[in-house]
Amino acid sequence: MMSATLRTIVRSNKSLLTEKFVPAVSTVKSVRFKSSQPVVDNGGSYDTNYEEALIPPGEPAKREFTYLALGGARLLYASAARLALMKFVASMSASSDVLALASLEVELDKVDPGTTATVKWRGKPVFIRNRTAAEIADAQQVDVGTLRDPETDADRVVKDQWLIALGICTHLGCVPISNAGEYNGWFCPCHGSHYDTSGRIRKGPAPLNLEVPPYKFIENDTKLLIG
């Protein structure tokens, strides 16, 4: 025996099964275009508004003016860059007063034989020694193998009569005394270095010979140009 509640559920299901379902009617209306063929413009695009938005080509006269303006601007830019480069290179060149300090002319007739003149070049003392025949012979007879800084006399002079050397001791930078020391060349009073008449270190703590600056003889060997 089915209960009253179960009978009620069965009757409800039967009523649902016997109802007729009405299909839903679409409310969307179909739209028919006048033409289903796409419109192709001159650019090969399917955009129907392309022809209206197409920008017409510029006039030949305007194009020539544009090219002329661009060419002129490039020419001005290149000229300005060239001028700036020339000014930069000119600024790197030494001025006349700097060139004057870079070299020094000395009249040799004022230096007597057997004496040493001291001049200032680029803020440094320079020794100009007018050597006698005996001093030249002594310098040339030295055994190079016994020297701390081996150099022949010929390697250090352009003319045998004249020795040109920086007046700075190669030990700690003192200024040696001319025509002094055990070898009658130069003697450094700071730490006792002795140099011969060729400016070579012979005794004391100095490790190297006196430096020879760049120089040459000018005006028929009557003047010396240092630097």
Side-chain angles (χ1 to χ4, degrees):
M1 296 296 291
M2 291 188 297
S3 63
T5 303
L6 183 58
R7 291 192 189 95
T8 304
I9 294 174
V10 172
R11 291 193 188 98
S12 299
N13 291 335
K14 287 182 178 180
S15 61
L16 290 174
L17 292 174
T18 56
E19 290 181 358
K20 295 182 179 180
F21 291 94
V22 180
V25 179
S26 176
T27 59
V28 179
K29 296 181 179 181
S30 60
V31 179
R32 181 179 179 84
F33 293 96
K34 295 181 179 180
S35 175
S36 60
Q37 297 296 328
V39 178
V40 181
D41 56 27
N42 295 332
S45 172
Y46 289 94
D47 186 0
T48 56
N49 296 326
Y50 178 80
E51 292 183 352
E52 298 177 0
L54 185 64
I55 300 175
E59 298 179 4
K62 292 183 178 180
R63 289 201 301 268
E64 293 176 359
F65 175 77
T66 302
Y67 296 153
L68 181 61
L70 291 176
R74 292 176 181 175
L75 179 61
L76 291 176
Y77 176 78
S79 300
R82 178 175 176 272
L83 181 60
L85 180 61
M86 292 178 62
K87 288 184 177 180
F88 175 75
V89 173
S91 65
M92 298 296 291
S93 302
S95 58
S96 58
D97 55 344
V98 174
L99 292 175
L101 293 175
S103 59
L104 176 67
E105 287 188 10
V106 181
E107 296 181 0
L108 297 177
D109 57 356
K110 296 182 179 180
V111 185
D112 297 329
T115 63
T116 302
T118 303
V119 296
K120 188 176 182 180
W121 172 69
R122 294 184 181 179
K124 300 177 182 179
V126 177
F127 295 146
I128 303 175
R129 179 73 171 257
N130 187 351
R131 302 190 299 180
T132 63
E135 291 174 343
I136 296 172
D138 291 341
Q140 292 177 347
Q141 292 174 2
V142 174
D143 183 6
V144 179
T146 62
L147 299 177
R148 182 179 304 168
D149 185 12
E151 277 187 311
T152 64
D153 184 68
D155 293 335
R156 296 180 54 79
V157 298
V158 176
K159 294 182 178 296
D160 292 340
Q161 180 182 356
W162 299 97
L163 174 74
I164 316 299
L166 291 182
I168 300 175
C169 180
T170 58
H171 180 219
L172 291 177
C174 296
V175 179
I177 301 173
S178 301
N179 298 79
E182 296 183 9
Y183 300 90
N184 196 31
W186 289 270
F187 171 73
C188 181
C190 294
H191 303 94
S193 294
H194 296 258
Y195 300 88
D196 61 14
T197 55
S198 188
R200 296 171 296 195
I201 181 63
R202 302 294 297 274
K203 185 179 179 181
L208 301 173
N209 303 330
L210 294 179
E211 182 182 351
V212 177
Y215 70 92
K216 63 181 179 180
F217 296 93
I218 59 175
E219 297 185 12
N220 297 324
D221 299 340
T222 60
K223 289 185 178 182
L224 179 70
L225 180 64
I226 305 174

